[in-house]
Structure formats: structure tokens, C-alpha cells
Amino acid sequence: MLHLRVIAPSDRSTEVLRTLAAEPGATHITLALGAAIEPPGDVIEADVARASANDVLAALTALDLVRTGSISFEPAGTMLSRAGEQAEAAAPTRRDEAVVWAQLLSQVREGARLTPTFMVFLTIAFLLSAVGVATASPITLVGAMVVGPEFRPLAALSVGLVRRDIGLIRSATRTLVISFPVAMMLTALATLLWIRLGWIGTGDVENARVFDFIYEVGPFSLVVALLAGAAGMLALVTYASNVLVGVFISVTTVPAAGLAVAAAVAGKWNVVLSSLAQLGVNLIGIVLAGVAVLLVLQRSDRRQRTLTTTPERRHPTLPPDQPIPGADDHKGQN
């Protein structure tokens, strides 16, 4: 479930409470009159089943609370409550299939932005991959895969395509188009410096033959990318961060880019082309898989809602014409 916290102007509190009271998937509704200082208003909290969150957030947004107050929510964590169990059971879809779009969009919008931190992590990942190739170190290559942050803009691109959000697509594409060439250029400069210092030689790129999976596009290259993209998107939706780490390790986007740089410095252009092809296959496969997963979840949610009969209101003591106790009296005090 999600824990919802709303700051509402006193003249909107009754509408907020009525919206939550009428939602079968909402429970543990509380009201603190005049508790909010900035912005001023009442604080209303509730626990909402994930499958009901989209409807609740849409209704609250329609009350203009984004401008006049605030709406925030987060995973509720462990909950021991019969009322909570009843709210989840009354939700129109199963919990694990529910995508809270407002939450997902907030996550991927942050990940789609090109920030100095993103550039630093990507550059470090590329440098680690170059070192891993030059020293024939599988552990260093795995470290490069884990450090690489490229899944975030790829996931944002998938969400943008499904939601037809041009701004999100543009932001994610811009991040990928700028960050990869810049990080590769910095890695090339570092590789040239290491060669000049005598730490590695141009022939060390031949070590890549030990890791042919990095640059040789085989029959499973696209399969692995699709499976990793699907697992990554499911992990993003269901907060399975440990699965995300596994996704980073399973795909070779960062090692392929790092190897392409090292091979270019060594003049191994066949390896460069093959590595870039592997990189492209992985990037495209992850995005396509993310789109497919979101479309399946979206369609499943709609089908469940169509098949589910609307349950009775869980709060029959709050008919439309009855004020919320204390809320209306509070209006005149502000």
C-alpha cells in the first residue's frame, strides 16, 4: 500500500475527505485541522491500495491541490491492519500488477535528466570497463556494469513512449546522446594517458578476446537485452532494487562502450564496430522490453477494472450531503 499525505486549504478538506471516504481502496484516514503552516491548511493522511492510487491521485489533482497545497505519497511499508487488508482486497486489480503512474513518472523524470552526477558515474563505469579489458579482469568489468547508471534514461525513454510524453522522450534521448559520447571521449583521453605512462600497451586490447561476449553480437545478444529490460522495468515498478543490480550485471552496454574506446585507441576498428553494434542492440532491446512490459501491465489493469464490479462504499456513514465532522466548522476559523 501507499501512505498518502495531503495538505489542503480548509475549504477543500471536505472534498478531499469525501473522495477518500468513497474509495474502497483507501483506509486509515486521518485529519489534522490547521496543522499545515506552509502552505497553510489541513493535513489529511490515508493508506491507499496501489491499485486504487491512480484514481485517488487523479481525483485529488482535479481539486487543484498541486497548486494550493500538496500531495505526497510513499510505500507504507509493513502494515498489520485488518482494515488495510480489506482495502487491498477491495482494490480493482492485484497489487503486484498495479502501476502508479504518477510515482513512476516522478522517478523516471529524475532519471532522465542529464546531471553532473550521472556523467561522473557513467564516466567512471567506462573507465572501469577500459581497465577491465586492458588487465583482463572480469571483476573490474562487473564493477563497471554495476556502477553504470544508463538504465535510468533508458527506462525513462520507455515510459515516455508508452505515455506519449514528448518532453520525457526528449529529455531521456538528450541524456543518452550527450552522455555516452562525452564519457567515451574522456575514457579515450585517460587510455592515451595510461599508454603514455606505460601502464598499458596498445596490444592489451587483445585481452578483449577473453570477453568476446562484450563485442561479438550473437543470437542471444538481443534476447539478453530484452530479458534484462523486462526485469529492470518490473523491478522499477515493484521497487525490487536488488533485481535492478542484477539487470546492470547482465547487460554489456557499459563494457561494450568502454571496449569500443580502447579498441579505437589501439586501431582495432573491427572490434570498435562490433562493440558499437553490441551497444546498439542492448540499448534498443532494453527500451523495447520496457515498453512491452508497461503495455502489458497497462492492458492488464484496464481488463481487471472492466471485469471487476464496483464495490460498495466502505464508509456509508458519509453520504454526499453530510459534512465531515469538524471540517466545515473549521472553515470559518481560517
Side-chain angles (χ1 to χ4, degrees), residues 9 12 59-69 71:
R12 292 292 175 88
L60 296 179
T61 302
L63 296 177
D64 200 27
L65 295 177
V66 175
R67 184 181 63 85
T68 61
I71 304 171

Side-chain angles (χ1 to χ4, degrees), residues 207-295:
N207 289 326
R209 296 190 182 280
V210 182
F211 313 110
D212 56 356
F213 69 92
I214 295 178
Y215 69 93
E216 288 189 356
V217 181
F220 284 106
S221 296
L222 181 60
V223 172
V224 170
L226 291 172
L227 293 175
M233 185 55 69
L234 284 172
L236 191 63
V237 171
T238 59
Y239 311 104
S241 57
N242 56 325
V243 177
L244 276 177
V245 174
V247 171
F248 297 151
I249 296 175
S250 66
V251 292
T252 59
T253 49
V254 164
L259 177 56
V261 172
V265 172
K268 307 292 184 179
W269 298 109
N270 60 323
V271 177
V272 173
L273 295 176
S274 185
S275 298
L276 292 178
Q278 180 76 284
L279 175 63
V281 167
N282 278 277
L283 295 178
I284 294 172
I286 290 173
V287 172
L288 291 178
V291 169
V293 167
L294 290 174
L295 289 176

